[in-house]
Amino acid sequence: MTEACSILLPVGLGLAAIFLLLPRPQPYSALWGSGVGALALWATGWFLVRLAAITPETILFYVFSAIAIVSGSLLVTQRNPARAALAFALVILSTCGLFLLLAAPFLSAAITIIYAGAIVVTFLFVIMLAQQSGLSNADVRSREPLLASLAGFMLLGALLYVLHLHYDTPPDLEPLLHQADECARRFRDVQRQLDRGSASQKELRADLEASANAAEKLQELAGQVSLSRPSWAGRQKPLHDAIVDLGYPLAQWRATVTMFHSKQPIDADWLTEPLAEVRKALTNLANAHTQLGSLPPPRNVLLSNLSGPPANLPPNDRRRGDDGGPPPLPAENTAYLGRSLFSDYLLHVELGGTLLLIATIGAIAIATRK
Amino acid sequence: MNGVLLPHYLAVGAILFALGIVGFLARRNLIVMFLCAEMMLQGVAVNLVAFARFRGNLQGQAFVLFLITVAACEAAIALALILILYRSRRSLDVSLWQDLREAGQPPIVDEEPLPPAQPEEPLPKLTPAGLEPERREEGSHV
C-alpha cells in the first residue's frame, strides 16, 4: 500500500500542478500551481528517488534532474513561445549534465551543440518570422487541459510502477541481503587469515566461529524466504536461484567448522574448498541482486565486443582487456564511440547520412516559395 | 540505496517523456507542440545513455547519436512545414486546421473571450540632444 502511495503522491501532485499552470484566458494564480509543483518535486525526490549517500554525484544528480523537470514544466506551461524555447534550451543543458554524470562526455557536447545551439536558434528564428502581435489564440488557450494532463500523468504512473516492480528490492528480502553482506565480510576475514598462513589458532578459531554464526543466521533467513514466497516472478528467477543455491555451501561450511569445534588444531587444507564454494555462492547472490530488473540476451548468442563487453556476459567477466572490456571512462569515451560507430554501426551511419541528405532536400523543397 | 542507480535515471527520463506528452496534447502553438515532441526525444535519450552506462557497453550511446540525427532531420522538415502553414493562415494556431480531425468529432470552439490586450506602454520621450539634421525627401537608398 505504501508502494502505491509513494508513486501516486508525486504523480497526483504533478498532475494538479501542470493542470493549474497550463495557459488559459483566465488563468489560475501562478502561486498555486508553483506551490503544488514544488511539493510534487519534493515528493518525487523523497519517495521515488531517495538516495542515502550524500556524495557529489548524488547532489549533482538531484540538481540536474530538478532543473530538467522544472524547465520541462516551464516549457509546457509558458504562454510566450520564445520563453518556451529558452526553457527547452535549459532542459537540454540539464540533460547534458546528466549525460556527464553517466560518463558520456561526447554525447553531452554533441547534444549541446546540436540542440541548444542549432535547433533552438532555428526555433527562435521561426518564432520571429511568425510573430503574433499581442495575445493570440495559439498561446493563451489550451486544448483539453484536464484530459491531456490525465493522459500524460497516467502514463507516468504506469511507467513508474513498472520501474518499481522490476528494480526495487522486495522489502521481505532486505534482511536476507543485509545478512549476506555480513556473511561475506566474515568470510573475507577468514580468507585473509588463511592467506596469511601464520595466524594464531585462537584468532582463526574466533573468526571461524563468527563466520559459522553468520552462516547459520543466513541459512535460517533463506529458509524463511523460501517458505514465505512460494512464487517468484520470472524476472526475479536468478535471485531466487541464487538464494536456493546458498543452502548447500552454507551447510557444508558449518559442518566443516564444527569439525574443528573441539580443541583440534585447525587444518587449513580442509577449509579452502568449502570457503571458496561459499564465497562463490555469495558472489552469485550479489550479482543476481545487482542484475535485478535486467533482461540480458541469452548466453549462447555471439555478440560483438567492439562496442564494449557483450551484454550477455556475467557482470564479473566484463573486465578490461586488450580487445574488449569497458573503456576507461570517461576519458576515452569518444575514441571508443568512434570505434563502435565505424565497426558495429557502419551501415547505420551511412543510412543516417542519407536521411540527413533527404531531409535537407525536403526542407528546401518545402520551404521555398512556389 | 547508495549511489545513483539505473531506476533513478529511468524515472527522470519517464518524467521528461510524460511532460512532453502533456505539452504536445495541450498546447495550440505549433512551435511549442514541436518543442514538446523534442523533449520527449530527450527523455528517451536519457534512458538510453543510462542503460549504456549500467550495462557497460556503448550501444545505448550509439543509438542516441542516431536519435539526434533523426531529431535534427525532423526539426528541419517540421519547421519548413510550420512556415508553410503560417503563410497560409497567418497564424500558428493548430486549431485552425481542425478540418483534419476525425469524422464525427465535434470541433473545438473557443467560448471564453481572450482578455483585452494591455495597451502598449508608450516609448519614453527623451529630450533631444543637439540639433536635428534636415531630412531630405528623396527616398531610401537602401
Side-chain angles (χ1 to χ4, degrees), chain A residues 71-92:
Chain A
S71 312
S73 317
L74 279 177
L75 164 62
V76 168
T77 57
Q78 268 290 328
R79 267 192 341 191
N80 190 340
R83 287 194 194 162
L86 292 175
F88 178 66
L90 207 51
V91 170
I92 298 298

Side-chain angles (χ1 to χ4, degrees), chain B residues 11 13 16 18 31 35 40 54 57 61 75-76 98 106 108 118 130 133 137:
Chain B
L16 284 176
I31 293 184
L35 283 174
M40 282 199 256
F54 286 93
N57 57 20
Q61 297 189 15
Q98 284 186 67
I108 294 180
Q118 309 277 335
E137 297 295 330

